[in-house]
Amino acid sequence: QVQLVESGGGLVQPGGSLQLSCAISGFRVETHWMYWVRRAPGKRLEFVSLITQDGGARYDESVEGRFTISRDSAKNALLLQMNGLKPEDSAMYYCGYDCWMTTQGTYQCAYKGQGTQVTVSS
């Protein structure tokens, strides 16, 4: 059974750091393109980052240079290191796969977890 469980969110001051983790069961993390997506209150689900099966990473321009996506094969987990956090990064963060941009301009994932809340505030 496929399960994705995010953790690591919390309240952090601007400029701070958090590392999100997504524990995966039911498949190996290396076998899919894996995504981090987020939804801020009142906003659409948006793309944050992805990692391909061969380890290539891509980022939304809003997080480029501050966030780093990676895999922990030993733990079968997806990670997101977030540095230099800004208030506009506040959102519920989800890991998922089989994700795509819809014609309405929002992201959608066939599979994603329940999310972990990140709040950036002083």
Side-chain angles (χ1 to χ4, degrees):
Q1 182 178 356
V2 171
Q3 193 170 17
L4 306 168
V5 180
E6 302 92 339
S7 62
L11 173 64
V12 64
Q13 292 187 341
S17 298
L18 284 173
Q19 185 179 67
L20 306 185
S21 180
C22 174
I24 297 166
S25 56
F27 66 96
R28 292 294 307 171
V29 64
E30 303 90 353
T31 60
H32 290 275
W33 284 33
M34 295 298 300
Y35 293 75
W36 285 101
V37 294
R38 66 187 181 187
R39 189 196 309 272
K43 293 193 175 181
R44 298 171 176 173
L45 192 67
E46 63 179 17
F47 169 76
V48 176
S49 181
L50 70 84
I51 187 165
T52 66
Q53 288 143 323
D54 62 5
R58 301 177 193 173
Y59 301 91
D60 184 80
E61 61 180 7
S62 66
V63 306
E64 182 86 50
R66 299 187 296 122
F67 290 11
T68 303
I69 191 171
S70 62
R71 297 181 299 220
D72 185 335
S73 295
K75 296 181 179 179
N76 200 32
L78 181 70
L79 306 176
L80 185 68
Q81 178 65 41
M82 305 188 297
N83 299 327
L85 283 161
K86 304 175 181 180
E88 52 264 43
D89 294 319
S90 297
M92 185 71 79
Y93 283 72
Y94 304 88
C95 71
Y97 69 100
D98 285 352
C99 300
W100 68 96
M101 172 75 81
T102 70
T103 55
Q104 289 76 34
T106 188
Y107 244 74
Q108 190 163 339
C109 296
Y111 303 91
K112 70 180 191 290
Q114 294 300 305
T116 186
Q117 178 68 42
V118 172
T119 302
V120 185
S121 175
S122 55

